[in-house]
């Protein structure tokens, strides 16, 4: 793989540290030091302003703008895509002494250090600023976002003059003049602003999506100071002159409340007064209490969801960073939120959620926080109507879930993807199945789950077609391998649709038997009929799955006849290929972007024999260039399963440190948040050998040779199981007073609160 690690940050098990400032790394560091709490996210930009390269990004989950596509007049092609819009700079600060403005890029700076503490979620930056006059001042800045009281953000500025007493001019405010960098447009229109005694607030609205954000702050300063009100278009704040005494600390605390209104349901006045009330509550809580609550939140996360790796400092830091960022992006607060491919850390991918949510992210929540898993599925239920509209756009009944979205509508205006990729729809069905299979949440299944399944199957049955020979399948589609467009019988699409039909029929028959009244209600609501059920059953039975006698699946009809490319002959400089090869050139050979056949073998793993998995891995992996950051982890998991342990570890190398080491050379644009989830999946399913698609959980743990041990937890049937793997042994223990049956190395055991130990069998040894 054409990927090179670029280790810039200091290794530490619990911190991400930048020691010294390198302007060429400024945007990468901004992404890495992004903070989020599912509700909002803020990049690690320098709040005092900088002339170094910067993407000053502040985002809210579900706050977007619309734009016009240039492709109009083609039915089904998206004409008004939306994207997560850059919002208020609530950290806005400017500092100057004797007319000299602080700008880390040009000011003389010493002892620059930035630390993100994964145990508290607090980001700290400190440095000494040396003025032209030789005056030295130590500056520290801290920020954090409250993980539970999601509207709250905090900023602290500490100033300690080292060799002088004097004054510093400070401006602090809220700025809605933020430019959406990808489009070079400012999208906010101010509706109201005003001052309080020690604070100020501003409320703005987006231009075309008409969503609103209220932002307000209160200051706490450890000295009496005259604050001069400052108002500019889209801006409100204060200018002040702070007295500095040599060796003494001056502290400014800014407590910020941001309240969003995703859909206008109230007047400006009413949102304003709601915002002011929340701000008053924030003030009442106080900074120290908020910090304590923050610590309690993260203590819980690390006590329960941590993965400990002994003998590999890099991956230890890497996986903790992944868990940290995943929690920051999503922890199930609100069913109208989802997980963008870049989380809340940048503008790339428009902030959109993809099929990554159900296939790569869901397992993390299924095994750590089932309520969050359910909320992710509720997001799809809440956007079912939009999915139905999308199906109509594509001339079909039922529901077609978008390839990229924030609000449920399709946001991708590349028709090859938006009109021919159905993995979001089959992904939702898969997600429902996986969730219910593990949690047995029939209440969800018989209500929202079944309704979604009906609409998805309805769409699939209409979008699929019958060949003259009487076979069913999908024509003119693109599977997960985005290097093959308008193909017939793509293996992934056909296989996943078949599973969707089967599951829908199974669920509806179960409902007819066990909950006929609910079935009647569903029938009334959706119009589902016995004829439809019979048709879906027939579609499933007749679905074409192209497989040779050896067990090798053909990725699509005709794939084996495509011209072959030796992917290793492509010079490293030509990656990423989308930027260096014409779009159509990519489509004309057997090169694969990311797992397609291997993906369905991963998702429904136990339905395939070991031999089938080996044959397909050996055929497809050498043709795959892993241009999607999700690809290496899936390969790593399957490589571990078929005993290619070294290869599994090589692929894993990209997973935990994809962004910390900027492997894809684009961390500046934002984090690869869904790949971060895949890193967790990589350890737990790959080395831990977890499989969750059979009648009970099974584990086949192995351990990378260079590790001394690793430990992780999964919650299953209310039992929290801790698994520790060392080079010789595996130990299982339920840590919360339950017991549970699981399969380990092909044998069923009941695991309880006593530690249960086994020696790793020969087959799973990595030496
Ligand atoms: C991949 C998609 C994925 C998207 C967002 C693309 O590069 O091909 O499968 O959904 O990135 O992560």
């Amino acid at each position: 793989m054409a990927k090179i690690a670029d280790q810039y940050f200091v290794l530490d098990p619990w911190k991400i540290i930048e020691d010294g400032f390198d302007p060429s790394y400024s945007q990468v560091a901004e992404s890495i030091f992004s903070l989020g709490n599912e509700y909002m996210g803020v990049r690690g930009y320098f709040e005092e302003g900088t002339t170094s390269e910067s993407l000053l990004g502040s985002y809210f989950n579900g706050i977007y703008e619309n734009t016009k596509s240039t492709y109009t007049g083609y039915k089904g092609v998206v004409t008004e895509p939306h994207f997560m819009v850059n919002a208020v700079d609530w950290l806005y600060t400017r500092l100057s002494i004797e007319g000299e403005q602080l700008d880390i890029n040009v000011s003389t700076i010493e002892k620059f250090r930035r630390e993100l503490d994964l145990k508290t979620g607090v980001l700290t930056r400190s440095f000494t600023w040396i003025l032209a006059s030789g005056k030295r001042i130590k500056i520290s800045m801290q920020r954090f976002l409250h993980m539970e009281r999601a509207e709250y953000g905090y900023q602290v500025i500490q100033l300690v003059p080292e060799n002088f007493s004097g004054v510093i001019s400070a401006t602090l405010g809220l700025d809605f003049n933020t430019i959406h960098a990808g489009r070079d447009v400012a999208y906010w229109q101010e509706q109201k602003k005003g001052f309080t005694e020690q604070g100020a607030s501003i409320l703005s609205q987006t231009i075309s999506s008409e969503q609103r954000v209220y932002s307000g702050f209160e200051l706490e300063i450890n000295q009496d100071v005259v604050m001069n009100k400052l108002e500019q278009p889209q801006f409100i704040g204060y200018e002040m002159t702070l007295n500095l005494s040599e060796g003494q600390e001056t502290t400014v605390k800014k407590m910020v409340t941001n309240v969003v209104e995703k859909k206008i349901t109230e007047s400006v006045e009413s949102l304003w007064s709601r915002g002011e009330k929340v701000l008053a509550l924030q003030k009442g809580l106080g900074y120290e209490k908020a910090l304590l609550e923050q610590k309690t939140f993260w203590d819980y996360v690390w006590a329960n969801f941590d993965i400990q790796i002994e003998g590999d400092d890099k991956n230890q830091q890497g996986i903790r960073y992944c868990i940290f960022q995943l929690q920051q992006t999503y922890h199930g607060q609100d069913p109208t939120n989802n997980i963008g491919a870049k989380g809340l850390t940048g503008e790339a991918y428009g902030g959109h959620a993809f099929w990554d949510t159900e296939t790569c992210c869901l397992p993390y929540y299924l095994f750590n926080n089932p309520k969050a898993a359910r909320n992710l599925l509720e997001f799809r239920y809440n956007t079912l109507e939009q999915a139905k509209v999308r199906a109509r756009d594509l001339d079909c009944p039922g529901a077609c879930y978008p390839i990229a979205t924030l609000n449920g509508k399709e946001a991708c205006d590349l028709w090859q993807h938006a009109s021919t990729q159905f993995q979001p729809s089959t992904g939702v069905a898969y997600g429902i199945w996986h969730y219910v299979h593990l949690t047995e949440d029939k209440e969800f299944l018989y209500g929202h789950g079944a309704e979604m399944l009906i609409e998805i199957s309805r769409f699939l049955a209409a979008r699929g077609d019958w060949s003259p020979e009487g076979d069913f399948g999908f024509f003119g589609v693109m599977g997960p391998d985005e290097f093959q467009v308008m193909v017939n019988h793509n293996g992934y699409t056909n296989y996943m649709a078949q599973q969707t039909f089967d599951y829908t029929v199974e669920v509806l028959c179960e409902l007819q038997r066990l909950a006929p009244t609910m079935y009647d209600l569903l029938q009334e609501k959706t119009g589902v009929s016995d004829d439809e059920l019979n048709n879906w059953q027939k579609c499933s039975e007749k679905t074409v799955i192209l497989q040779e006698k050896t067990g090798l699946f053909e990725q699509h009809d005709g794939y084996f006849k495509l011209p072959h490319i030796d992917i290793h002959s492509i010079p490293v400089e030509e990656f990423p290929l989308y930027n260096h090869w014409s779009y159509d050139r990519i489509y004309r050979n057997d090169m694969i972007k990311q797992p397609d056949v291997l993906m369905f073998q991963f998702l429904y793993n136990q339905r395939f024999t070991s031999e089938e998995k080996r044959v397909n891995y050996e055929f497809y992996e050498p043709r795959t260039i892993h241009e999607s950051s999700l690809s290496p982890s899936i390969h790593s998991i399957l490589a571990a399963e078929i005993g290619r342990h070294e290869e599994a570890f090589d692929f894993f190398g990209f997973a935990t440190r994809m962004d910390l080491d900027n492997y894809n050379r684009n961390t500046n644009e934002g984090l690869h948040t869904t790949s971060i989830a895949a890193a967790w999946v990589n350890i737990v399913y790959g080395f831990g050998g977890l499989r969750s698609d059979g009648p009970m959980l099974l584990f086949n743990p192995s351990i990378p040779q260079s590790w001394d041990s690793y430990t992780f937890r999964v919650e299953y049937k209310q039992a929290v199981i801790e698994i520790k793997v060392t080079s010789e042994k595996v130990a299982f223990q339920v840590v919360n007073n339950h017991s549970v049956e699981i399969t380990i190395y092909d044998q069923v055991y009941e695991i309880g609160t006593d530690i249960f130990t086994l020696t790793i069998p020969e087959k799973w040894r990595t030496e």
Side-chain angles (χ1 to χ4, degrees), residues 26 76 96 99 120 152 199 204 219 236 275 315 411 434 449 513-514 536 581 590 600 620 623 636 646 679 731 749:
S26 61
S96 65
T120 58
Y152 299 174
S204 288
L219 293 178
I236 192 156
N315 281 307
H434 202 185
R513 256 187 307 117
L514 303 181
W536 296 339
W581 285 29
D590 67 349
F600 67 78
Y620 285 109
R623 291 167 171 76
S636 174
E646 254 176 59
Y749 300 97

PDB file of all heavy atoms in Angstrom, residues 26 76 96 99 120 152 199 204 219 236 275 315 411 434 449 513-514 536 581 590 600 620 623 636 646 679 731 749:
ATOM      1  N   SER A  26       0.313  22.697  10.499  1.00  0.00           N
ATOM      2  CA  SER A  26      -0.707  23.396  11.282  1.00  0.00           C
ATOM      3  C   SER A  26      -2.121  22.845  11.059  1.00  0.00           C
ATOM      4  O   SER A  26      -2.872  22.666  12.010  1.00  0.00           O
ATOM      5  CB  SER A  26      -0.668  24.895  11.012  1.00  0.00           C
ATOM      6  OG  SER A  26      -0.920  25.134   9.663  1.00  0.00           O
ATOM      7  N   GLY A  76     -33.410  12.230 -11.157  1.00  0.00           N
ATOM      8  CA  GLY A  76     -32.687  11.370 -10.194  1.00  0.00           C
ATOM      9  C   GLY A  76     -31.331  11.918  -9.812  1.00  0.00           C
ATOM     10  O   GLY A  76     -30.755  11.499  -8.819  1.00  0.00           O
ATOM     11  N   SER A  96      -3.060  41.671  22.197  1.00  0.00           N
ATOM     12  CA  SER A  96      -1.924  42.479  21.755  1.00  0.00           C
ATOM     13  C   SER A  96      -1.340  43.250  22.938  1.00  0.00           C
ATOM     14  O   SER A  96      -2.040  43.606  23.900  1.00  0.00           O
ATOM     15  CB  SER A  96      -2.332  43.417  20.611  1.00  0.00           C
ATOM     16  OG  SER A  96      -3.262  44.339  21.062  1.00  0.00           O
ATOM     17  N   GLY A  99       0.778  47.326  21.006  1.00  0.00           N
ATOM     18  CA  GLY A  99       0.512  47.374  19.565  1.00  0.00           C
ATOM     19  C   GLY A  99       0.981  46.132  18.809  1.00  0.00           C
ATOM     20  O   GLY A  99       0.721  45.985  17.619  1.00  0.00           O
ATOM     21  N   THR A 120      -9.556  13.590  30.149  1.00  0.00           N
ATOM     22  CA  THR A 120     -10.506  14.655  30.522  1.00  0.00           C
ATOM     23  C   THR A 120     -11.124  15.356  29.311  1.00  0.00           C
ATOM     24  O   THR A 120     -12.096  16.090  29.462  1.00  0.00           O
ATOM     25  CB  THR A 120      -9.794  15.756  31.335  1.00  0.00           C
ATOM     26  OG1 THR A 120      -8.720  16.275  30.531  1.00  0.00           O
ATOM     27  CG2 THR A 120      -9.250  15.239  32.636  1.00  0.00           C
ATOM     28  N   TYR A 152     -22.699  23.279  26.113  1.00  0.00           N
ATOM     29  CA  TYR A 152     -21.683  24.052  26.819  1.00  0.00           C
ATOM     30  C   TYR A 152     -20.274  23.881  26.252  1.00  0.00           C
ATOM     31  O   TYR A 152     -19.789  22.760  26.123  1.00  0.00           O
ATOM     32  CB  TYR A 152     -21.612  23.639  28.302  1.00  0.00           C
ATOM     33  CG  TYR A 152     -22.868  23.846  29.121  1.00  0.00           C
ATOM     34  CD1 TYR A 152     -22.918  23.383  30.426  1.00  0.00           C
ATOM     35  CD2 TYR A 152     -23.982  24.503  28.611  1.00  0.00           C
ATOM     36  CE1 TYR A 152     -24.057  23.559  31.215  1.00  0.00           C
ATOM     37  CE2 TYR A 152     -25.117  24.675  29.387  1.00  0.00           C
ATOM     38  CZ  TYR A 152     -25.157  24.195  30.674  1.00  0.00           C
ATOM     39  OH  TYR A 152     -26.279  24.360  31.442  1.00  0.00           O
ATOM     40  N   GLY A 199     -21.384  39.498  29.701  1.00  0.00           N
ATOM     41  CA  GLY A 199     -21.473  38.573  28.578  1.00  0.00           C
ATOM     42  C   GLY A 199     -22.173  39.192  27.381  1.00  0.00           C
ATOM     43  O   GLY A 199     -22.527  40.373  27.382  1.00  0.00           O
ATOM     44  N   SER A 204     -27.944  33.714  14.872  1.00  0.00           N
ATOM     45  CA  SER A 204     -27.857  33.842  13.406  1.00  0.00           C
ATOM     46  C   SER A 204     -28.564  32.695  12.721  1.00  0.00           C
ATOM     47  O   SER A 204     -28.800  31.642  13.325  1.00  0.00           O
ATOM     48  CB  SER A 204     -26.396  33.864  12.954  1.00  0.00           C
ATOM     49  OG  SER A 204     -25.813  35.077  13.321  1.00  0.00           O
ATOM     50  N   LEU A 219     -18.260  35.954  30.931  1.00  0.00           N
ATOM     51  CA  LEU A 219     -16.832  35.968  31.267  1.00  0.00           C
ATOM     52  C   LEU A 219     -16.629  35.983  32.767  1.00  0.00           C
ATOM     53  O   LEU A 219     -17.414  36.595  33.501  1.00  0.00           O
ATOM     54  CB  LEU A 219     -16.168  37.218  30.674  1.00  0.00           C
ATOM     55  CG  LEU A 219     -16.081  37.305  29.154  1.00  0.00           C
ATOM     56  CD1 LEU A 219     -15.448  38.623  28.747  1.00  0.00           C
ATOM     57  CD2 LEU A 219     -15.284  36.136  28.576  1.00  0.00           C
ATOM     58  N   ILE A 236     -20.181  39.885  17.965  1.00  0.00           N
ATOM     59  CA  ILE A 236     -20.394  40.619  19.217  1.00  0.00           C
ATOM     60  C   ILE A 236     -19.301  40.216  20.213  1.00  0.00           C
ATOM     61  O   ILE A 236     -18.861  39.059  20.219  1.00  0.00           O
ATOM     62  CB  ILE A 236     -21.803  40.363  19.801  1.00  0.00           C
ATOM     63  CG1 ILE A 236     -22.075  41.367  20.922  1.00  0.00           C
ATOM     64  CG2 ILE A 236     -21.972  38.933  20.315  1.00  0.00           C
ATOM     65  CD1 ILE A 236     -23.540  41.607  21.159  1.00  0.00           C
ATOM     66  N   GLY A 275     -31.969  30.147  24.767  1.00  0.00           N
ATOM     67  CA  GLY A 275     -30.513  30.214  24.832  1.00  0.00           C
ATOM     68  C   GLY A 275     -30.042  30.909  26.100  1.00  0.00           C
ATOM     69  O   GLY A 275     -29.159  30.422  26.807  1.00  0.00           O
ATOM     70  N   ASN A 315       0.461   1.759  19.025  1.00  0.00           N
ATOM     71  CA  ASN A 315      -0.937   1.368  18.849  1.00  0.00           C
ATOM     72  C   ASN A 315      -1.759   1.611  20.101  1.00  0.00           C
ATOM     73  O   ASN A 315      -2.972   1.817  20.014  1.00  0.00           O
ATOM     74  CB  ASN A 315      -1.025  -0.089  18.395  1.00  0.00           C
ATOM     75  CG  ASN A 315      -0.733  -0.197  16.908  1.00  0.00           C
ATOM     76  OD1 ASN A 315      -1.348   0.495  16.097  1.00  0.00           O
ATOM     77  ND2 ASN A 315       0.234  -1.016  16.548  1.00  0.00           N
ATOM     78  N   ALA A 411     -27.337  13.753  -0.653  1.00  0.00           N
ATOM     79  CA  ALA A 411     -26.518  14.962  -0.780  1.00  0.00           C
ATOM     80  C   ALA A 411     -25.391  14.782  -1.783  1.00  0.00           C
ATOM     81  O   ALA A 411     -24.580  15.690  -1.961  1.00  0.00           O
ATOM     82  CB  ALA A 411     -25.935  15.330   0.577  1.00  0.00           C
ATOM     83  N   HIS A 434     -28.411  -6.808  12.813  1.00  0.00           N
ATOM     84  CA  HIS A 434     -27.286  -6.985  13.733  1.00  0.00           C
ATOM     85  C   HIS A 434     -27.683  -6.516  15.138  1.00  0.00           C
ATOM     86  O   HIS A 434     -27.413  -7.189  16.143  1.00  0.00           O
ATOM     87  CB  HIS A 434     -26.093  -6.178  13.209  1.00  0.00           C
ATOM     88  CG  HIS A 434     -24.771  -6.667  13.717  1.00  0.00           C
ATOM     89  ND1 HIS A 434     -23.597  -6.033  13.443  1.00  0.00           N
ATOM     90  CD2 HIS A 434     -24.430  -7.738  14.484  1.00  0.00           C
ATOM     91  CE1 HIS A 434     -22.594  -6.685  14.011  1.00  0.00           C
ATOM     92  NE2 HIS A 434     -23.075  -7.714  14.650  1.00  0.00           N
ATOM     93  N   GLY A 449     -38.291  -0.910  13.089  1.00  0.00           N
ATOM     94  CA  GLY A 449     -37.431  -1.803  12.313  1.00  0.00           C
ATOM     95  C   GLY A 449     -38.185  -2.441  11.160  1.00  0.00           C
ATOM     96  O   GLY A 449     -37.766  -2.377   9.994  1.00  0.00           O
ATOM     97  N   ARG A 513     -47.290 -14.202  13.391  1.00  0.00           N
ATOM     98  CA  ARG A 513     -47.506 -15.272  14.369  1.00  0.00           C
ATOM     99  C   ARG A 513     -47.605 -14.744  15.800  1.00  0.00           C
ATOM    100  O   ARG A 513     -48.512 -15.083  16.534  1.00  0.00           O
ATOM    101  CB  ARG A 513     -46.317 -16.248  14.300  1.00  0.00           C
ATOM    102  CG  ARG A 513     -46.627 -17.542  13.584  1.00  0.00           C
ATOM    103  CD  ARG A 513     -45.483 -18.523  13.694  1.00  0.00           C
ATOM    104  NE  ARG A 513     -44.214 -17.963  13.263  1.00  0.00           N
ATOM    105  CZ  ARG A 513     -43.150 -17.796  14.026  1.00  0.00           C
ATOM    106  NH1 ARG A 513     -43.176 -18.144  15.278  1.00  0.00           N
ATOM    107  NH2 ARG A 513     -42.029 -17.277  13.563  1.00  0.00           N
ATOM    108  N   LEU A 514     -46.646 -13.892  16.143  1.00  0.00           N
ATOM    109  CA  LEU A 514     -46.518 -13.521  17.557  1.00  0.00           C
ATOM    110  C   LEU A 514     -47.194 -12.212  17.947  1.00  0.00           C
ATOM    111  O   LEU A 514     -47.501 -12.007  19.110  1.00  0.00           O
ATOM    112  CB  LEU A 514     -45.030 -13.429  17.942  1.00  0.00           C
ATOM    113  CG  LEU A 514     -44.198 -14.687  17.707  1.00  0.00           C
ATOM    114  CD1 LEU A 514     -42.760 -14.455  18.146  1.00  0.00           C
ATOM    115  CD2 LEU A 514     -44.780 -15.853  18.498  1.00  0.00           C
ATOM    116  N   TRP A 536     -40.982 -11.110  -2.532  1.00  0.00           N
ATOM    117  CA  TRP A 536     -39.636 -10.934  -1.958  1.00  0.00           C
ATOM    118  C   TRP A 536     -38.968 -12.296  -1.754  1.00  0.00           C
ATOM    119  O   TRP A 536     -37.766 -12.434  -1.970  1.00  0.00           O
ATOM    120  CB  TRP A 536     -39.725 -10.175  -0.618  1.00  0.00           C
ATOM    121  CG  TRP A 536     -40.248  -8.773  -0.788  1.00  0.00           C
ATOM    122  CD1 TRP A 536     -40.240  -8.036  -1.935  1.00  0.00           C
ATOM    123  CD2 TRP A 536     -40.873  -7.956   0.206  1.00  0.00           C
ATOM    124  NE1 TRP A 536     -40.818  -6.812  -1.719  1.00  0.00           N
ATOM    125  CE2 TRP A 536     -41.213  -6.731  -0.407  1.00  0.00           C
ATOM    126  CE3 TRP A 536     -41.204  -8.127   1.539  1.00  0.00           C
ATOM    127  CZ2 TRP A 536     -41.851  -5.690   0.269  1.00  0.00           C
ATOM    128  CZ3 TRP A 536     -41.820  -7.092   2.227  1.00  0.00           C
ATOM    129  CH2 TRP A 536     -42.149  -5.882   1.598  1.00  0.00           C
ATOM    130  N   TRP A 581      -5.657   9.997 -12.122  1.00  0.00           N
ATOM    131  CA  TRP A 581      -6.137   9.279 -13.306  1.00  0.00           C
ATOM    132  C   TRP A 581      -7.493   9.847 -13.685  1.00  0.00           C
ATOM    133  O   TRP A 581      -8.300  10.157 -12.793  1.00  0.00           O
ATOM    134  CB  TRP A 581      -6.332   7.794 -12.999  1.00  0.00           C
ATOM    135  CG  TRP A 581      -5.066   6.989 -12.899  1.00  0.00           C
ATOM    136  CD1 TRP A 581      -3.834   7.434 -12.510  1.00  0.00           C
ATOM    137  CD2 TRP A 581      -4.935   5.591 -13.177  1.00  0.00           C
ATOM    138  NE1 TRP A 581      -2.938   6.398 -12.521  1.00  0.00           N
ATOM    139  CE2 TRP A 581      -3.582   5.252 -12.933  1.00  0.00           C
ATOM    140  CE3 TRP A 581      -5.805   4.601 -13.608  1.00  0.00           C
ATOM    141  CZ2 TRP A 581      -3.105   3.967 -13.112  1.00  0.00           C
ATOM    142  CZ3 TRP A 581      -5.333   3.317 -13.776  1.00  0.00           C
ATOM    143  CH2 TRP A 581      -3.986   3.006 -13.538  1.00  0.00           C
ATOM    144  N   ASP A 590      -9.435  -4.421 -13.757  1.00  0.00           N
ATOM    145  CA  ASP A 590      -9.896  -5.230 -12.615  1.00  0.00           C
ATOM    146  C   ASP A 590      -9.390  -4.716 -11.261  1.00  0.00           C
ATOM    147  O   ASP A 590      -9.479  -5.416 -10.256  1.00  0.00           O
ATOM    148  CB  ASP A 590      -9.505  -6.701 -12.803  1.00  0.00           C
ATOM    149  CG  ASP A 590      -8.001  -6.913 -12.750  1.00  0.00           C
ATOM    150  OD1 ASP A 590      -7.242  -5.908 -12.772  1.00  0.00           O
ATOM    151  OD2 ASP A 590      -7.572  -8.077 -12.679  1.00  0.00           O
ATOM    152  N   PHE A 600     -18.932  -8.585   2.090  1.00  0.00           N
ATOM    153  CA  PHE A 600     -20.086  -9.380   2.551  1.00  0.00           C
ATOM    154  C   PHE A 600     -19.623 -10.636   3.272  1.00  0.00           C
ATOM    155  O   PHE A 600     -20.322 -11.155   4.139  1.00  0.00           O
ATOM    156  CB  PHE A 600     -21.133  -9.640   1.455  1.00  0.00           C
ATOM    157  CG  PHE A 600     -20.784 -10.518   0.296  1.00  0.00           C
ATOM    158  CD1 PHE A 600     -20.784 -11.906   0.423  1.00  0.00           C
ATOM    159  CD2 PHE A 600     -20.505  -9.984  -0.950  1.00  0.00           C
ATOM    160  CE1 PHE A 600     -20.519 -12.725  -0.663  1.00  0.00           C
ATOM    161  CE2 PHE A 600     -20.232 -10.798  -2.050  1.00  0.00           C
ATOM    162  CZ  PHE A 600     -20.237 -12.168  -1.909  1.00  0.00           C
ATOM    163  N   TYR A 620      -8.791 -11.583  -4.320  1.00  0.00           N
ATOM    164  CA  TYR A 620      -9.152 -10.157  -4.393  1.00  0.00           C
ATOM    165  C   TYR A 620      -8.146  -9.209  -3.743  1.00  0.00           C
ATOM    166  O   TYR A 620      -7.967  -8.091  -4.214  1.00  0.00           O
ATOM    167  CB  TYR A 620     -10.560  -9.929  -3.807  1.00  0.00           C
ATOM    168  CG  TYR A 620     -11.630 -10.406  -4.770  1.00  0.00           C
ATOM    169  CD1 TYR A 620     -12.387 -11.541  -4.511  1.00  0.00           C
ATOM    170  CD2 TYR A 620     -11.839  -9.738  -5.981  1.00  0.00           C
ATOM    171  CE1 TYR A 620     -13.343 -11.993  -5.426  1.00  0.00           C
ATOM    172  CE2 TYR A 620     -12.784 -10.180  -6.896  1.00  0.00           C
ATOM    173  CZ  TYR A 620     -13.532 -11.305  -6.606  1.00  0.00           C
ATOM    174  OH  TYR A 620     -14.459 -11.736  -7.523  1.00  0.00           O
ATOM    175  N   ARG A 623      -5.629  -7.433  -5.872  1.00  0.00           N
ATOM    176  CA  ARG A 623      -6.199  -6.503  -6.861  1.00  0.00           C
ATOM    177  C   ARG A 623      -6.725  -5.219  -6.203  1.00  0.00           C
ATOM    178  O   ARG A 623      -7.284  -4.363  -6.872  1.00  0.00           O
ATOM    179  CB  ARG A 623      -7.341  -7.194  -7.619  1.00  0.00           C
ATOM    180  CG  ARG A 623      -6.831  -8.299  -8.540  1.00  0.00           C
ATOM    181  CD  ARG A 623      -7.958  -9.186  -9.057  1.00  0.00           C
ATOM    182  NE  ARG A 623      -7.466 -10.074 -10.093  1.00  0.00           N
ATOM    183  CZ  ARG A 623      -6.724 -11.163  -9.874  1.00  0.00           C
ATOM    184  NH1 ARG A 623      -6.392 -11.501  -8.643  1.00  0.00           N
ATOM    185  NH2 ARG A 623      -6.304 -11.900 -10.898  1.00  0.00           N
ATOM    186  N   SER A 636      -7.506  -6.783   7.249  1.00  0.00           N
ATOM    187  CA  SER A 636      -6.768  -7.259   8.413  1.00  0.00           C
ATOM    188  C   SER A 636      -7.574  -8.339   9.151  1.00  0.00           C
ATOM    189  O   SER A 636      -7.034  -9.372   9.564  1.00  0.00           O
ATOM    190  CB  SER A 636      -6.475  -6.080   9.338  1.00  0.00           C
ATOM    191  OG  SER A 636      -5.892  -6.529  10.518  1.00  0.00           O
ATOM    192  N   GLU A 646       0.911 -12.100   9.904  1.00  0.00           N
ATOM    193  CA  GLU A 646       1.795 -10.946   9.650  1.00  0.00           C
ATOM    194  C   GLU A 646       1.086  -9.900   8.792  1.00  0.00           C
ATOM    195  O   GLU A 646       1.161  -8.704   9.038  1.00  0.00           O
ATOM    196  CB  GLU A 646       3.046 -11.408   8.910  1.00  0.00           C
ATOM    197  CG  GLU A 646       4.253 -11.418   9.809  1.00  0.00           C
ATOM    198  CD  GLU A 646       5.450 -11.968   9.097  1.00  0.00           C
ATOM    199  OE1 GLU A 646       5.840 -11.404   8.047  1.00  0.00           O
ATOM    200  OE2 GLU A 646       5.980 -12.987   9.588  1.00  0.00           O
ATOM    201  N   ALA A 679     -10.996   0.829  13.232  1.00  0.00           N
ATOM    202  CA  ALA A 679      -9.805   0.419  13.984  1.00  0.00           C
ATOM    203  C   ALA A 679     -10.214  -0.396  15.209  1.00  0.00           C
ATOM    204  O   ALA A 679      -9.586  -1.402  15.549  1.00  0.00           O
ATOM    205  CB  ALA A 679      -9.008   1.651  14.406  1.00  0.00           C
ATOM    206  N   ALA A 731      -7.834 -15.068  28.633  1.00  0.00           N
ATOM    207  CA  ALA A 731      -8.596 -15.102  29.888  1.00  0.00           C
ATOM    208  C   ALA A 731      -9.893 -14.337  29.685  1.00  0.00           C
ATOM    209  O   ALA A 731      -9.891 -13.225  29.160  1.00  0.00           O
ATOM    210  CB  ALA A 731      -7.780 -14.466  30.997  1.00  0.00           C
ATOM    211  N   TYR A 749     -18.623 -22.325  26.298  1.00  0.00           N
ATOM    212  CA  TYR A 749     -18.331 -22.222  27.731  1.00  0.00           C
ATOM    213  C   TYR A 749     -19.293 -21.232  28.366  1.00  0.00           C
ATOM    214  O   TYR A 749     -19.713 -20.282  27.719  1.00  0.00           O
ATOM    215  CB  TYR A 749     -16.909 -21.690  27.968  1.00  0.00           C
ATOM    216  CG  TYR A 749     -15.828 -22.552  27.369  1.00  0.00           C
ATOM    217  CD1 TYR A 749     -15.287 -22.232  26.122  1.00  0.00           C
ATOM    218  CD2 TYR A 749     -15.339 -23.664  28.053  1.00  0.00           C
ATOM    219  CE1 TYR A 749     -14.287 -23.011  25.563  1.00  0.00           C
ATOM    220  CE2 TYR A 749     -14.331 -24.447  27.500  1.00  0.00           C
ATOM    221  CZ  TYR A 749     -13.810 -24.119  26.259  1.00  0.00           C
ATOM    222  OH  TYR A 749     -12.828 -24.893  25.707  1.00  0.00           O
TER     223      TYR A 749
END
